[in-house]
Amino acid sequence: QSALTQPASVSGSPGQSITISCSGTTSDVGGYNYVSWYQQHPGKAPKLIIYDVSHRPSGVSNRFSGSKSGNTASLTISGLQAEDEAYYFCSSFTITSNPGVFGTGTKVTVL
Amino acid sequence: EVQLLESTGGLVQPGGSLRLSCAASGFTFSSYAMSWVRQAPGKGLEWVSALSPGGSPSYHADSVKGRFTVSRDNSKNTLYLQMDSLRADDTAVYYCARARESHAWIYSMDVWGRGTTVTVSS
């Protein structure tokens, strides 16, 4: 099972909005509403910030939002803050392997 | 407090074995599917294994199939990963993680351990 495709890096200035894409196939992203997003700061464990495409866990800022169109899911961070500088990984349920597949990861830089 | 705590990893020679454990606290462990996820140095996340609340079924990534075995002891609130025939490319930080929803499969993971480092080298 190949990893989902994400851009290697995305950057933005404080206060701006950025969007990270996560491209898959009809066997994973496009076929199921089980896309999640994780934020990971260096040396730390991943943190769930979006599940089931667009739902936020309790305690996660509403500046994070998720969506999906066809085989591509997206994570948007609005009102970018310095603390948002981290790596972001998408994941999805997939029919071709269990339990699922992660994206390649995106480094977000706050300029 | 909901918490997962992995055992200390270590340095293992190629071909060797190691068993990781993950102690859960603060929630009803037996109600949740659990996973092991690893991250090689400077790389992304890779799903290694997953296990349903009752202990079956279990799933393993192709990269570890036949070498790693995931199990759990619900009476001890502990998840295990038995790693045999270790290779250099198994070198990674290993995280245990909990399914977000009880009595459901692992579509997302909302509680993660701090991770434990396994190094395979001669």
Side-chain angles (χ1 to χ4, degrees):
Chain A
Q1 172 66 39
S2 298
L4 306 175
T5 301
Q6 298 180 232
S9 63
V10 173
S11 62
S13 299
Q16 285 186 331
S17 293
I18 61 170
T19 297
I20 303 168
S21 61
C22 171
S23 296
T25 69
T26 54
S27 296
D28 39 63
V29 174
Y32 306 91
N33 289 325
Y34 292 126
V35 177
S36 302
W37 289 90
Y38 300 87
Q39 176 193 60
Q40 187 181 34
H41 288 103
K44 300 295 185 181
K47 173 187 176 183
L48 179 67
I49 57 174
I50 294 289
Y51 67 92
D52 296 353
V53 176
S54 61
H55 294 82
R56 275 188 311 274
S58 174
V60 173
S61 171
N62 59 9
R63 297 185 299 103
F64 295 95
S65 61
S67 62
K68 188 183 82 167
S69 178
N71 296 336
T72 300
S74 298
L75 172 71
T76 297
I77 309 175
S78 58
L80 200 61
Q81 298 180 0
E83 67 205 50
D84 300 330
E85 187 161 291
Y87 285 89
Y88 292 82
F89 295 91
C90 63
S91 77
S92 174
F93 172 81
T94 170
I95 197 65
T96 59
S97 69
N98 250 305
V101 61
F102 283 101
T104 50
T106 299
K107 179 175 171 57
V108 168
T109 301
V110 181
L111 301 172
Chain B
E1 180 189 4
V2 175
Q3 196 170 6
L4 297 171
L5 184 61
E6 298 96 342
S7 57
T8 302
L11 173 64
V12 184
Q13 290 192 338
S17 298
L18 187 66
R19 188 178 83 156
L20 301 181
S21 62
C22 170
S25 59
F27 65 98
T28 305
F29 179 71
S30 59
S31 295
Y32 288 84
M34 299 291 295
S35 264
W36 287 98
V37 175
R38 69 183 180 184
Q39 187 169 34
K43 302 297 184 181
L45 300 172
E46 180 187 17
W47 231 315
V48 175
S49 301
L51 189 58
S52 64
S56 179
S58 64
Y59 295 95
H60 299 81
D62 288 344
S63 57
V64 306
K65 205 168 290 183
R67 300 187 301 121
F68 289 14
T69 303
V70 62
S71 64
R72 65 193 296 162
D73 186 337
N74 286 342
S75 69
K76 295 182 178 179
N77 293 337
T78 303
L79 178 73
Y80 301 99
L81 184 66
Q82 178 66 42
M83 303 185 292
D84 298 319
S85 302
L86 283 161
R87 311 185 306 219
D89 61 359
D90 294 317
T91 295
V93 174
Y94 285 75
Y95 297 99
C96 67
R98 185 190 82 169
R100 183 188 62 82
E101 195 173 8
S102 65
H103 303 292
W105 189 232
I106 297 182
Y107 300 110
S108 58
M109 295 165 283
D110 68 336
V111 180
W112 293 67
R114 292 185 177 181
T116 187
T117 300
V118 174
T119 303
V120 183
S121 174
S122 56

